[in-house]
Amino acid sequence: MSQAPPVPEATRRRHDREIVALAVPAFGALVAEPLFVMADSAIVGHLGTAQLAGLGVASALLTTAVSVFVFLAYATTAAVARRVGSGDLQAAIRQGMDGIWLALLLGAGVIAVVLPLAPGIVDIFGASATAAPYATTYLRISSLGIPAMLVVLAATGVLRGLQDTRTPLYVAVAGFVANAGLNAGLVYGAELGIAGSAWGTVIAQCGMAAVYLTVVVRGARRHGASLRPDTAGIRASAQAGAPLLVRTLSLRAVLMIATAIAARLGDADIAAHQIVLSLWSLLAFALDAIAIAGQAIIGRYLGAGDTAGAREACRRMVQWGIATGVLLGLLVVAARPLFLPLFTSDPSVKDTALPALLIVALSQPISGVVFVLDGVLMGAGDGLYLAGAMVVTLAVFTPVALLVPAFGGGLAALWGAMTLMMATRMLTLWLRTRSGRWIVTGATR
C-alpha cells in the first residue's frame, strides 16, 4: 500500500473496536466447527477400531467436499457487505438469498453423486476391507446433510455481510451441543452404531440451517426482499464464487502435496507432519477470524464509496495480523514442550516435529499478513486476482516441495517449503493491495 498520512487515534480506536467486535465471535464459530468431528470421533471410537477408521475416511471426504464450497460464505459476505455499505438492505438480503439458493442446488448435486458412488469413493481413498463398510454407511447418510451444511456456509456469509458474527457463534455452539447429544443418544441409546452418529450430524446440521433460514427470512420480510429463486442472481453468485473455488482448490492441492511428500519421508515424518499441520490449522483459525472481519468491513466501506476508510481499515488490519502472528509464534515456542506430548510419546516423532514447529512459529507474522490481505481482497470482490495468485503460489511451491525428498531433506525442509509458499502468497497479495487496483466502489463490483 502507498504511503499515507498518519491516522488519527480516534479512527484507529474505531477500527480496533470494529475488528474486535467481528473477529472474536468469528473465531469462536470457527473453532466450534472442527468440534463436530472431534465429538463424532470420541463417541464412535468406543464402538471399535474399524468403526473409527471408517469414520476417519468418511469425515475426511465430507470435510474436503464442504471446504471446497467455502466460497459460498466468502463471496456472499463480500456481496452483501457492499449492498449494506450502499444503504440498500433489501438488495443485500436479496443477494444473500441468491447465495442460499445456489447452496441448495450445489448440495443436491453432491448428493446425486455421493449416494450411488459412495463405495467406489471410499475404495479410492484406501479404506481397509474392515473399515470400508462403516465408511460407506457414514458417507451415504451424512451426504444427506450436505445441502444443510452448504446453506449454513451461505447464510453465515449473509450475516457476516450484515456485520453480524455473533449469531453464527451462537448457532455453531448450539449445533455442537446438539450434535454431541444426538450422537450419544443415537449411537448408544438407540443402538444404531456408526449410522446413529451420521444421523445425529445430519439432524444437527439441518437444525442449524433451519435457524439460519429463519433469521434470514425474517430479515427479508422486514425489508421487503423476495425469497424466490432468481436465475440471474444465482448465476451471478456462481460467477463470483468460481474464482474463489479455484483459489480454494489450489490451496487444498498445496496441503495434499505436502502430506504426500511427508508420507514418503517415513513413518516418523508423516506422524510429525500431522501434528504440526494440526497446530498450523488451529493457528489459522485465529488469523482467519481477522480475515473474516476484513471481508465484512472492506465490503461495507467500498459499497459506501469510502475509499479512504477502506485503505485505513486495511492498514490497521495488517497491523493486527502482524501483531497476532508474533503473539501466536511466541505461544508456539513457549508451549511446544507441552504440546508435543499431547499427540505422541515417540521420541523420534518429537525430535522430527520440533524443528518444524519452530519454523511454523517463525512464519506466523507472515501468515498474519497473508490471512488479512486475503480477507481484504475477498471483501473487495477481487476473486480473479486471488485465484491467479494462488495458482502462481502452487506453481512455486510444487517443484520446491518435490525437491525435498530428492535432496534428502526432512520434515523441517518441507515446512521451509510451506513457509516459502506463504511468503509467495504475501508478496502477491501485498503487490495487489499496494497497487490500489482492488479498490472498486459501488453496490456491486
Side-chain angles (χ1 to χ4, degrees):
M1 291 172 290
S2 57
Q3 189 65 33
V7 179
E9 181 65 24
T11 302
R12 283 200 299 272
R13 289 179 179 174
R14 176 166 53 83
H15 288 315
D16 289 345
R17 286 194 298 269
E18 233 178 358
I19 293 167
V20 170
L22 291 171
V24 172
F27 174 70
L30 289 169
V31 170
E33 292 173 11
L35 294 179
F36 271 79
V37 176
M38 290 178 63
D40 289 0
S41 299
I43 293 169
V44 171
H46 292 286
L47 293 174
T49 302
Q51 289 90 334
L52 184 58
L55 172 66
V57 172
S59 63
L61 289 168
L62 287 166
T63 300
T64 299
V66 174
S67 67
V68 163
F69 296 112
V70 73
F71 69 84
L72 288 166
Y74 294 159
T76 304
T77 297
V80 171
R82 275 184 175 271
R83 298 284 191 179
V84 169
S86 70
D88 193 346
L89 288 178
Q90 182 186 69
I93 296 175
R94 173 66 261 179
Q95 186 91 47
M97 285 303 306
D98 293 334
I100 290 172
W101 280 112
L102 176 61
L104 287 170
L105 291 173
L106 291 173
V110 173
I111 289 178
V113 172
V114 172
L115 278 180
L117 299 180
I121 296 171
V122 168
D123 185 59
I124 289 173
F125 276 76
S128 67
T130 54
Y134 297 110
T136 301
T137 296
Y138 191 92
L139 183 60
R140 274 184 166 155
I141 296 173
S142 294
S143 69
L144 299 176
I146 285 180
M149 296 180 194
L150 299 189
V151 166
V152 167
L153 283 177
T156 299
V158 176
L159 295 180
R160 288 173 180 171
L162 293 171
Q163 317 296 295
D164 176 10
T165 57
R166 290 183 179 273
T167 301
L169 171 61
Y170 301 148
V171 175
V173 172
F176 165 70
V177 173
N179 178 68
L182 286 165
N183 271 258
L186 293 174
V187 171
Y188 297 112
E191 298 183 349
L192 294 179
I194 195 169
S197 176
W199 281 118
T201 300
V202 169
I203 295 169
Q205 291 286 353
C206 288
M208 292 171 65
V211 172
Y212 274 120
L213 288 175
T214 300
V215 173
V216 174
V217 168
R218 284 178 179 172
R221 288 175 176 169
R222 187 181 310 120
H223 297 286
S226 173
L227 299 174
R228 295 179 179 179
D230 176 66
T231 303
I234 295 171
R235 187 185 303 114
S237 293
Q239 290 172 344
L244 296 180
L245 175 61
V246 173
R247 167 202 168 274
T248 301
L249 290 173
S250 299
L251 181 56
R252 297 294 302 183
V254 165
L255 300 178
M256 290 174 65
I257 290 169
T259 299
I261 291 172
R264 294 184 181 182
L265 296 176
D267 289 347
D269 291 89
I270 184 61
H273 176 72
Q274 289 303 114
I275 293 171
V276 176
L277 185 61
S278 68
L279 177 63
W280 188 80
S281 300
L282 178 62
L283 298 173
F285 285 132
L287 298 174
D288 202 26
I290 305 175
I292 288 169
Q295 294 169 30
I297 293 170
I298 295 299
R300 192 191 74 234
Y301 273 122
L302 294 180
D306 187 352
T307 59
R311 288 181 183 276
E312 290 168 5
C314 177
R315 290 191 185 92
R316 191 57 178 164
M317 281 183 284
V318 168
Q319 293 169 1
W320 269 80
I322 294 172
T324 304
V326 171
L327 177 61
L328 292 175
L330 292 174
L331 287 175
V332 170
V333 173
R336 71 188 188 282
L338 303 174
F339 177 76
L340 287 174
L342 293 176
F343 290 87
T344 182
S345 58
D346 188 332
S348 64
V349 175
K350 290 181 180 179
D351 291 342
T352 304
L354 184 57
L357 279 177
L358 293 176
I359 292 172
V360 168
L362 291 172
S363 68
Q364 284 310 293
I366 296 174
S367 297
V369 175
V370 168
F371 275 83
V372 167
L373 294 183
D374 206 42
V376 166
L377 296 184
M378 281 185 191
D382 204 8
L384 283 175
Y385 183 85
L386 287 171
M390 197 62 228
V391 170
V392 169
T393 300
L394 175 62
V396 171
F397 169 77
T398 302
V400 175
L402 292 175
L403 288 174
V404 169
F407 282 89
L411 188 67
L414 177 60
W415 276 92
M418 288 286 286
T419 301
L420 173 65
M421 179 271 294
M422 294 301 289
T424 304
R425 289 184 71 190
M426 184 177 71
L427 177 62
T428 57
L429 297 175
W430 177 77
L431 288 173
R432 184 63 167 181
T433 53
R434 186 174 182 273
S435 72
R437 294 176 183 174
W438 57 281
I439 300 179
V440 178
T441 58
T444 59
R445 184 176 173 87

